[in-house]
Amino acid sequence: MRFTEAPAVARIDDAVLMFGGVSPDIGADDARELMALLASQRRGTDNPTLSALVNTSIGAPLSAPFEEGYELAEELLEELEMPGGATYIDIFAIVERLGISVITKNLRTATIRGVAIAGEGYGPAILLNMESSYNSTPAGRRFTLAHELFHILYDREHARRISHTSGPWAPPSIEKRANAFAAMLLMPRDLVHRSIPNNAIDVRGLFEACNLMKVGPSALLEHLYNTGVIDEIHREELRASLIPPANT
Ligand SMILES: [Zn+2]
């Protein structure tokens, strides 16, 4: 980020503030908003359930950020004994159980999807930026929550270091890993299999599975490809069918 544009944020050396977005360049208004948010979370603490799950030894992503994200999501689901018989992962319930506040705000910077706050002396919170088009659907908001949850659970130490540099706040591999985690958390393999009977993945089946799992079609499509359920040709076919036909 360019510190000159956000002098307030540059001062929060020890607080852990993690951005989810393409561009962390924020203006003074958003900087003030985030400082106020941090202040409101001060003197808070992790609840025991969250404390037991936080792992600061994960470190920077290694060669396979996707695999790391998947594995951590699967471990967490096992820990939480989910999904059980449910048709979707109730991410709002998970976050509530972990004592993480969810705050919706309209930041001016639309490229920020979410912001995660966590760390010593702070109550954990996730800000959903309603200005981001990504968060305009319930499925998008669920994905943002799952993504930010990753940062709260596993990226605290990392974020602290990142906030000391003047480079990008989150290297692409960190974001990739958090996205893979979010995808697997919301679309665990057994749930995918249950949602798509007989593996009949045509465009209708795709949308039915999306409705069941409460995820977006693009997210599900990429996840099916990344987990080897469909091949590249199949993905391209389905991608094409997601695009509305052009007006002729
Ligand atoms: Zn992120």
Side-chain angles (χ1 to χ4, degrees):
M1 66 183 292
R2 295 198 293 271
F3 284 157
T4 49
E5 284 186 354
V9 170
R11 266 186 258 123
I12 49 157
D13 266 355
D14 281 332
V16 177
L17 193 64
M18 298 167 274
F19 286 81
V22 182
S23 162
D25 282 337
I26 58 170
D29 288 338
D30 283 351
R32 263 194 300 276
E33 191 81 72
L34 293 173
M35 286 303 286
L37 182 65
L38 267 180
S40 74
Q41 296 306 112
R42 202 163 286 156
R43 283 186 292 278
T45 181
D46 292 345
N47 80 13
T49 317
L50 178 59
S51 289
L53 293 168
V54 166
N55 187 337
T56 51
S57 70
I58 301 289
L62 299 171
S63 55
F66 262 94
E67 291 301 319
E68 287 182 16
Y70 288 160
E71 273 170 33
L72 289 164
E74 287 176 325
E75 278 170 32
L76 180 65
L77 286 168
E78 214 174 293
E79 204 70 53
L80 298 171
E81 296 177 346
M82 292 176 106
T87 61
Y88 71 100
I89 300 297
D90 191 344
I91 183 68
F92 279 90
I94 293 177
V95 163
E96 197 185 331
R97 190 168 150 191
L98 302 182
I100 299 167
S101 309
V102 177
I103 296 151
T104 53
K105 282 248 185 275
N106 285 75
L107 297 177
R108 287 175 186 247
T109 317
T111 49
I112 293 176
R113 277 155 45 182
V115 179
I117 294 169
E120 195 72 34
Y122 286 88
I126 294 171
L127 179 149
L128 289 175
N129 181 17
M130 301 310 283
E131 214 51 49
S132 160
S133 59
Y134 198 87
N135 292 330
S136 63
T137 64
R141 293 193 285 277
R142 282 164 41 76
F143 201 93
T144 300
L145 268 192
H147 175 107
E148 299 302 328
L149 174 61
F150 183 91
H151 293 321
I152 289 179
L153 288 171
Y154 311 113
D155 277 336
R156 301 180 179 214
E157 292 303 309
H158 214 78
R160 193 166 293 151
R161 283 201 299 277
I162 291 163
S163 69
H164 285 284
T165 75
S166 55
W169 280 45
S173 59
I174 284 200
E175 288 299 278
K176 261 186 212 160
R177 185 168 66 177
N179 280 335
F181 170 86
M184 189 58 89
L185 190 68
L186 299 176
M187 299 174 276
R189 297 176 209 266
D190 50 348
L191 212 52
V192 169
H193 288 302
R194 262 192 274 155
S195 307
I196 306 172
N198 309 320
N199 267 353
I201 311 165
D202 51 17
V203 72
R204 204 180 139 180
L206 188 77
F207 276 101
E208 279 174 11
C210 284
N211 284 338
L212 280 171
M213 288 191 282
K214 299 188 193 290
V215 297
S218 307
L220 176 56
L221 192 54
E222 294 312 311
H223 187 59
L224 291 175
Y225 172 72
N226 289 331
T227 52
V229 178
I230 58 172
D231 61 19
E232 206 172 343
I233 295 168
H234 199 161
R235 179 181 65 170
E236 293 314 311
E237 279 170 14
L238 285 167
R239 253 191 199 163
S241 59
L242 290 183
I243 303 164
N247 290 327
T248 48

